[in-house]
Amino acid sequence: MDEHFSRAVPFYDLWHDDGHLPAVREHLPGLLSGVRRSVLEIGAGTGRVTEIIATATPAEIFAVEPALAMRGVLLSRLTDRPELLDRVTVLPCGGLDVELDEPVEAVVLIAVLAAFSPQERERLWPVLARQLEPGGLLVLNHRERPLPEPGEEELLAGYRVGRHVYEIRSRVLAAESGRVTSRFRYLIRQRGVVIDETVVVSDAYRPTRADLEAELARAGFVPAPAPEPLLAWTLG
């Protein structure tokens, strides 16, 4: 995570709590109901999903997060829940580099799949398979959508915090072959005047359901039932 994206971290919880998190809160606990020993979370971010996992299961959690700014928020969140300090280990690495001492019962990836290119996903699934015990569960969120058309900047969301408004704007610059390049502007306004602005250009990858099924089958995973927008596989 570069310095510019680090400055966008204050917007992270505002936006994601308004996006995928309600469905994750509703459906993820049921999928993890049988997990008791250990969970690996890839891309823990600021720890919102980590808390959901910790509430759903008494398992030990290995929270992988490569970005220092995100880990800082995650660790601060853990200090507000002292009972979690003994069972959440924060790993300062990426999903492609994780190697645990022993296999876990489940691996969870929420709002992180788009960060991996097709080539990286082909490397990721075998890495995660090595971390899972036989029959272990892999859960991720995914919604298949058509690629957007490049166009004008759009307002994605705005949130009032005290006397300020936190605004997120996005413009699609290019979209082809499952990759979307977007320019995000993170603005803080006071009485309508911009007092802080961060610009981030990033790529997001949108695999099809068929792509995922083929990739995971090659890595030894078998589809399992899961409520939308979650998908699940078990290690065969």
Side-chain angles (χ1 to χ4, degrees):
M1 177 184 292
D2 61 24
E3 187 270 339
H4 288 293
F5 193 82
S6 296
R7 290 178 58 201
V9 169
F11 295 78
Y12 189 84
D13 283 355
L14 292 169
W15 193 12
H16 286 80
D17 201 52
D18 200 29
H20 63 271
L21 281 178
V24 173
R25 287 194 189 97
E26 180 180 359
H27 298 303
L28 183 59
L31 289 174
L32 298 179
S33 61
V35 174
R36 289 291 179 269
R37 182 173 53 79
S38 54
V39 177
L40 171 62
E41 182 189 5
I42 302 297
T46 62
R48 299 305 294 272
V49 175
T50 311
E51 287 190 310
I52 296 172
I53 297 170
T55 301
T57 169
E60 181 178 10
I61 301 169
F62 298 94
V64 170
E65 178 48 57
L68 176 60
M70 293 285 195
R71 290 200 307 274
V73 179
L74 168 56
L75 287 165
S76 293
R77 195 182 303 281
L78 293 178
T79 62
D80 287 336
R81 296 188 59 179
E83 75 278 9
L84 298 185
L85 291 175
D86 284 338
R87 66 183 180 104
V88 179
T89 299
V90 180
L91 302 177
C93 65
L96 295 172
D97 302 313
V98 62
E99 291 292 344
L100 302 178
D101 292 333
E102 64 276 329
V104 296
E105 293 174 89
V107 176
V108 174
L109 300 89
I110 299 298
V112 71
L113 187 64
F116 293 92
S117 69
Q119 297 76 21
E120 289 171 331
R121 291 198 310 270
E122 288 286 358
R123 294 166 51 203
L124 176 67
W125 307 132
V127 169
L128 298 186
R130 289 199 303 271
Q131 315 312 312
L132 268 175
E133 63 184 30
L137 180 68
L138 170 67
V139 180
L140 56 88
N141 66 328
H142 177 265
R143 199 182 295 276
E144 195 162 347
R145 295 173 293 170
L147 290 180
E149 294 288 337
E152 298 301 314
E153 181 179 86
E154 297 180 359
L155 174 65
L156 297 182
Y159 306 94
R160 180 170 294 279
V161 181
R163 298 190 180 189
H164 292 167
V165 173
Y166 287 66
E167 206 171 87
I168 304 170
R169 293 178 173 270
S170 174
R171 178 186 177 190
V172 175
L173 302 178
E176 59 182 356
S177 302
R179 182 176 72 180
V180 180
T181 302
S182 301
R183 177 180 183 265
F184 293 90
R185 285 203 303 147
Y186 299 88
L187 308 172
I188 301 176
R189 296 184 186 272
Q190 180 172 301
R191 295 191 295 273
V193 177
V194 175
I195 61 172
D196 188 77
E197 177 178 2
T198 296
V199 177
V200 177
V201 176
S202 63
D203 290 330
Y205 299 89
R206 295 188 180 181
T208 65
R209 177 75 172 266
D211 289 338
L212 290 177
E213 290 175 346
E215 293 169 4
L216 286 159
R218 289 194 290 272
F221 288 91
V222 178
E228 293 187 357
L230 301 182
L231 300 177
W233 284 262
T234 56
L235 185 62

